[in-house]
Short mmCIF file of all heavy atoms in Angstrom, two decimals:
data_model
loop_
_atom_site.label_atom_id
_atom_site.label_comp_id
_atom_site.label_asym_id
_atom_site.label_seq_id
_atom_site.Cartn_x
_atom_site.Cartn_y
_atom_site.Cartn_z
N MET A 1 0.84 -1.20 0.01
CA MET A 1 0.00 0.01 0.03
C MET A 1 0.90 1.26 0.02
O MET A 1 1.89 1.27 0.68
CB MET A 1 -0.89 -0.05 1.22
CG MET A 1 -2.12 0.86 1.14
SD MET A 1 -3.19 0.78 2.57
CE MET A 1 -3.87 -0.81 2.39
N GLU A 2 0.49 2.14 -0.80
CA GLU A 2 1.29 3.50 -0.84
C GLU A 2 0.67 4.45 0.14
O GLU A 2 -0.52 4.70 0.23
CB GLU A 2 1.19 4.09 -2.28
CG GLU A 2 1.89 3.21 -3.31
CD GLU A 2 3.37 3.39 -3.35
OE1 GLU A 2 3.91 4.27 -2.64
OE2 GLU A 2 4.01 2.61 -4.06
N TYR A 3 1.56 5.22 0.80
CA TYR A 3 1.04 6.19 1.76
C TYR A 3 1.67 7.58 1.32
O TYR A 3 2.81 7.67 1.02
CB TYR A 3 1.47 5.94 3.22
CG TYR A 3 0.92 4.65 3.68
CD1 TYR A 3 1.65 3.52 3.79
CD2 TYR A 3 -0.46 4.58 4.10
CE1 TYR A 3 1.06 2.29 4.29
CE2 TYR A 3 -0.98 3.42 4.59
CZ TYR A 3 -0.19 2.31 4.70
OH TYR A 3 -0.81 1.17 5.15
N LEU A 5 2.38 10.86 2.81
CA LEU A 5 2.50 11.58 4.14
C LEU A 5 2.05 13.04 4.02
O LEU A 5 1.38 13.60 4.83
CB LEU A 5 3.86 11.55 4.58
CG LEU A 5 4.37 10.27 5.37
CD1 LEU A 5 5.80 10.42 5.77
CD2 LEU A 5 3.46 10.01 6.56
N MET A 8 -1.65 13.36 3.84
CA MET A 8 -2.31 13.08 5.13
C MET A 8 -2.05 14.30 6.05
O MET A 8 -2.97 14.62 6.79
CB MET A 8 -1.71 11.79 5.71
CG MET A 8 -2.26 10.55 5.11
SD MET A 8 -1.96 9.01 6.13
CE MET A 8 -0.37 8.64 5.54
N ALA A 38 -11.86 17.47 22.48
CA ALA A 38 -11.52 16.05 22.28
C ALA A 38 -10.99 15.76 20.89
O ALA A 38 -10.03 15.01 20.78
CB ALA A 38 -12.75 15.21 22.55
N ALA A 41 -7.38 16.65 20.71
CA ALA A 41 -6.56 15.75 21.38
C ALA A 41 -6.15 14.61 20.41
O ALA A 41 -4.98 14.22 20.36
CB ALA A 41 -7.29 15.15 22.55
N PHE A 42 -7.12 14.15 19.57
CA PHE A 42 -6.79 13.17 18.58
C PHE A 42 -5.93 13.70 17.45
O PHE A 42 -5.14 13.05 16.81
CB PHE A 42 -8.04 12.49 18.06
CG PHE A 42 -8.75 11.70 19.18
CD1 PHE A 42 -9.89 12.15 19.81
CD2 PHE A 42 -8.11 10.49 19.57
CE1 PHE A 42 -10.44 11.42 20.82
CE2 PHE A 42 -8.74 9.77 20.65
CZ PHE A 42 -9.91 10.17 21.23
N PHE A 44 -3.77 15.99 17.88
CA PHE A 44 -2.39 16.03 18.50
C PHE A 44 -1.71 14.69 18.27
O PHE A 44 -0.50 14.61 17.82
CB PHE A 44 -2.51 16.30 20.04
CG PHE A 44 -1.31 16.16 20.79
CD1 PHE A 44 -0.30 17.21 20.90
CD2 PHE A 44 -0.91 15.01 21.45
CE1 PHE A 44 0.83 17.11 21.61
CE2 PHE A 44 0.20 14.87 22.26
CZ PHE A 44 1.11 15.88 22.27
N ILE A 45 -2.43 13.57 18.43
CA ILE A 45 -1.82 12.19 18.20
C ILE A 45 -1.49 11.98 16.73
O ILE A 45 -0.52 11.49 16.44
CB ILE A 45 -2.76 11.16 18.80
CG1 ILE A 45 -2.90 11.34 20.28
CG2 ILE A 45 -2.22 9.75 18.48
CD1 ILE A 45 -4.04 10.62 20.93
N ARG A 48 1.64 13.66 15.85
CA ARG A 48 2.81 12.90 16.27
C ARG A 48 2.96 11.65 15.46
O ARG A 48 4.12 11.15 15.18
CB ARG A 48 2.76 12.57 17.75
CG ARG A 48 3.42 13.58 18.63
CD ARG A 48 2.65 14.74 18.99
NE ARG A 48 3.28 15.95 19.18
CZ ARG A 48 2.82 17.19 18.83
NH1 ARG A 48 1.62 17.25 18.24
NH2 ARG A 48 3.45 18.26 19.12
N ASN A 49 1.91 11.01 15.10
CA ASN A 49 1.99 9.68 14.37
C ASN A 49 2.26 9.86 12.89
O ASN A 49 2.79 8.93 12.26
CB ASN A 49 0.65 8.93 14.56
CG ASN A 49 0.63 8.07 15.70
OD1 ASN A 49 1.65 7.76 16.28
ND2 ASN A 49 -0.55 7.66 16.25
N ILE A 50 1.87 11.03 12.33
CA ILE A 50 2.02 11.22 10.86
C ILE A 50 2.84 12.53 10.54
O ILE A 50 3.96 12.37 9.95
CB ILE A 50 0.66 11.24 10.17
CG1 ILE A 50 -0.12 9.97 10.45
CG2 ILE A 50 0.81 11.55 8.64
CD1 ILE A 50 0.46 8.74 9.79
N ASP A 52 4.69 14.63 12.07
CA ASP A 52 6.05 14.63 12.61
C ASP A 52 7.06 13.91 11.82
O ASP A 52 8.28 14.08 11.99
CB ASP A 52 6.09 14.07 14.05
CG ASP A 52 6.33 15.11 15.13
OD1 ASP A 52 6.22 16.31 14.70
OD2 ASP A 52 6.61 14.79 16.23
N LEU A 53 6.66 13.03 11.00
CA LEU A 53 7.54 12.17 10.26
C LEU A 53 8.11 12.78 8.92
O LEU A 53 8.97 12.28 8.37
CB LEU A 53 6.97 10.78 9.86
CG LEU A 53 6.25 10.15 11.06
CD1 LEU A 53 5.68 8.79 10.65
CD2 LEU A 53 7.22 9.94 12.27
N LEU A 54 7.43 13.92 8.55
CA LEU A 54 7.85 14.54 7.30
C LEU A 54 9.28 15.11 7.52
O LEU A 54 9.60 15.62 8.55
CB LEU A 54 6.89 15.70 7.02
CG LEU A 54 5.61 15.26 6.44
CD1 LEU A 54 4.55 16.44 6.46
CD2 LEU A 54 5.78 14.75 5.00
N GLU A 55 10.11 15.06 6.52
CA GLU A 55 11.43 15.51 6.63
C GLU A 55 11.45 17.00 6.78
O GLU A 55 10.67 17.72 6.11
CB GLU A 55 12.26 15.14 5.29
CG GLU A 55 12.30 13.68 5.01
CD GLU A 55 13.40 12.91 5.76
OE1 GLU A 55 14.20 13.57 6.28
OE2 GLU A 55 13.32 11.68 5.70
N MET B 1 6.15 5.68 0.00
CA MET B 1 6.40 4.70 0.98
C MET B 1 5.46 3.46 0.72
O MET B 1 4.33 3.61 0.63
CB MET B 1 6.15 5.23 2.38
CG MET B 1 6.73 4.42 3.49
SD MET B 1 6.77 5.34 5.08
CE MET B 1 8.20 6.41 4.84
N LYS B 2 6.09 2.28 0.60
CA LYS B 2 5.24 1.08 0.23
C LYS B 2 5.35 0.00 1.32
O LYS B 2 6.50 -0.40 1.73
CB LYS B 2 5.76 0.49 -1.09
CG LYS B 2 4.76 -0.41 -1.65
CD LYS B 2 5.21 -0.81 -3.10
CE LYS B 2 4.14 -1.69 -3.73
NZ LYS B 2 4.50 -1.95 -5.16
N LEU B 3 4.24 -0.46 1.78
CA LEU B 3 4.22 -1.50 2.76
C LEU B 3 3.17 -2.54 2.35
O LEU B 3 2.16 -2.26 1.69
CB LEU B 3 3.91 -0.92 4.14
CG LEU B 3 4.99 -0.06 4.65
CD1 LEU B 3 4.51 1.02 5.60
CD2 LEU B 3 6.11 -0.79 5.34
N ASN B 10 1.12 1.37 13.39
CA ASN B 10 1.43 2.50 12.51
C ASN B 10 2.62 1.98 11.61
O ASN B 10 3.76 2.03 12.03
CB ASN B 10 1.93 3.69 13.35
CG ASN B 10 2.30 4.85 12.51
OD1 ASN B 10 2.54 4.77 11.33
ND2 ASN B 10 2.28 6.06 13.17
N ILE B 12 4.11 3.09 9.19
CA ILE B 12 5.23 4.08 8.84
C ILE B 12 6.19 4.20 9.92
O ILE B 12 7.39 4.09 9.72
CB ILE B 12 4.57 5.52 8.43
CG1 ILE B 12 3.43 5.23 7.36
CG2 ILE B 12 5.60 6.41 7.89
CD1 ILE B 12 2.61 6.44 7.11
N ILE B 13 5.76 4.62 11.15
CA ILE B 13 6.66 4.81 12.27
C ILE B 13 7.44 3.51 12.60
O ILE B 13 8.64 3.51 12.75
CB ILE B 13 5.88 5.32 13.51
CG1 ILE B 13 5.73 6.79 13.44
CG2 ILE B 13 6.58 4.82 14.77
CD1 ILE B 13 5.22 7.44 14.72
N ARG B 20 16.46 7.80 11.30
CA ARG B 20 15.37 8.72 11.17
C ARG B 20 14.63 8.76 12.62
O ARG B 20 14.31 9.77 13.15
CB ARG B 20 14.36 8.27 10.11
CG ARG B 20 13.29 9.22 9.66
CD ARG B 20 13.80 10.42 8.92
NE ARG B 20 12.64 11.34 8.86
CZ ARG B 20 12.58 12.43 9.59
NH1 ARG B 20 13.53 12.83 10.34
NH2 ARG B 20 11.49 13.17 9.55
N ARG B 27 15.01 15.50 18.47
CA ARG B 27 14.18 16.68 18.35
C ARG B 27 13.14 16.73 19.43
O ARG B 27 12.97 17.77 20.13
CB ARG B 27 13.55 16.76 16.97
CG ARG B 27 12.54 17.85 16.73
CD ARG B 27 12.21 18.18 15.30
NE ARG B 27 11.84 17.01 14.51
CZ ARG B 27 10.71 16.42 14.51
NH1 ARG B 27 9.75 16.84 15.31
NH2 ARG B 27 10.43 15.38 13.74
N ARG B 28 12.45 15.56 19.61
CA ARG B 28 11.43 15.54 20.69
C ARG B 28 11.97 15.66 22.07
O ARG B 28 11.37 16.27 22.95
CB ARG B 28 10.59 14.24 20.55
CG ARG B 28 9.73 14.23 19.31
CD ARG B 28 8.96 12.92 19.23
NE ARG B 28 7.91 13.00 18.16
CZ ARG B 28 7.09 12.03 17.80
NH1 ARG B 28 7.14 10.85 18.49
NH2 ARG B 28 6.25 12.23 16.85
N TYR B 115 -6.77 15.19 29.20
CA TYR B 115 -7.45 14.38 28.28
C TYR B 115 -6.51 14.04 27.07
O TYR B 115 -6.41 12.93 26.67
CB TYR B 115 -8.70 15.10 27.71
CG TYR B 115 -9.57 14.26 26.82
CD1 TYR B 115 -10.47 13.37 27.40
CD2 TYR B 115 -9.47 14.36 25.44
CE1 TYR B 115 -11.22 12.55 26.59
CE2 TYR B 115 -10.25 13.63 24.65
CZ TYR B 115 -11.13 12.69 25.26
OH TYR B 115 -11.87 11.84 24.40
N GLU B 116 -5.74 15.05 26.59
CA GLU B 116 -4.87 14.84 25.44
C GLU B 116 -3.70 13.89 25.81
O GLU B 116 -3.49 12.93 25.01
CB GLU B 116 -4.25 16.22 25.17
CG GLU B 116 -3.29 16.18 23.89
CD GLU B 116 -2.64 17.52 23.70
OE1 GLU B 116 -3.22 18.34 23.01
OE2 GLU B 116 -1.56 17.68 24.27
N GLN B 119 -4.98 10.32 26.03
CA GLN B 119 -5.24 9.71 24.79
C GLN B 119 -3.98 9.26 24.10
O GLN B 119 -3.94 8.19 23.38
CB GLN B 119 -6.02 10.67 23.80
CG GLN B 119 -7.45 11.01 24.25
CD GLN B 119 -8.28 9.80 24.58
OE1 GLN B 119 -8.21 8.79 23.93
NE2 GLN B 119 -9.09 9.93 25.59
N LEU B 120 -2.92 9.98 24.30
CA LEU B 120 -1.57 9.56 23.76
C LEU B 120 -1.10 8.28 24.46
O LEU B 120 -0.61 7.34 23.82
CB LEU B 120 -0.48 10.71 23.93
CG LEU B 120 0.76 10.28 23.37
CD1 LEU B 120 0.84 10.54 21.89
CD2 LEU B 120 1.93 11.08 23.97
N ASP B 123 -2.94 5.50 22.95
CA ASP B 123 -2.50 5.23 21.59
C ASP B 123 -1.15 4.50 21.61
O ASP B 123 -0.95 3.54 20.86
CB ASP B 123 -2.34 6.48 20.81
CG ASP B 123 -2.43 6.26 19.24
OD1 ASP B 123 -3.56 6.11 18.81
OD2 ASP B 123 -1.46 6.19 18.61
N TYR B 127 -0.09 0.49 20.09
CA TYR B 127 1.13 -0.12 19.49
C TYR B 127 1.44 -1.54 20.11
O TYR B 127 1.76 -2.45 19.45
CB TYR B 127 2.35 0.78 19.63
CG TYR B 127 2.37 1.98 18.65
CD1 TYR B 127 1.72 3.14 19.01
CD2 TYR B 127 3.12 1.95 17.49
CE1 TYR B 127 1.81 4.27 18.15
CE2 TYR B 127 3.22 3.01 16.64
CZ TYR B 127 2.52 4.22 17.03
OH TYR B 127 2.65 5.30 16.18
N TYR B 270 8.40 7.62 20.67
CA TYR B 270 7.60 8.12 21.78
C TYR B 270 8.40 8.08 23.14
O TYR B 270 7.94 8.67 24.18
CB TYR B 270 6.27 7.47 21.98
CG TYR B 270 5.34 7.85 20.85
CD1 TYR B 270 5.25 7.11 19.65
CD2 TYR B 270 4.68 9.09 20.84
CE1 TYR B 270 4.40 7.51 18.60
CE2 TYR B 270 3.93 9.50 19.83
CZ TYR B 270 3.75 8.76 18.71
OH TYR B 270 2.99 9.17 17.71
N CYS B 299 6.33 12.76 24.48
CA CYS B 299 5.19 13.59 23.96
C CYS B 299 4.08 13.72 24.99
O CYS B 299 3.09 14.35 24.73
CB CYS B 299 4.63 13.00 22.73
SG CYS B 299 5.80 12.82 21.31
#
Side-chain angles (χ1 to χ4, degrees):
Chain A
M1 201 178 286
E2 295 280 353
Y3 297 102
L5 279 180
M8 284 197 276
F42 293 105
F44 173 83
I45 296 163
R48 263 85 210 147
N49 273 338
I50 300 294
D52 248 15
L53 312 182
L54 284 165
E55 301 278 348
Chain B
M1 194 164 284
K2 193 170 185 177
L3 294 152
N10 183 341
I12 306 169
I13 275 190
R20 193 71 192 106
R27 172 164 49 79
R28 287 180 172 180
Y115 186 80
E116 180 187 273
Q119 294 308 323
L120 181 81
D123 204 79
Y127 281 84
Y270 287 96
C299 303

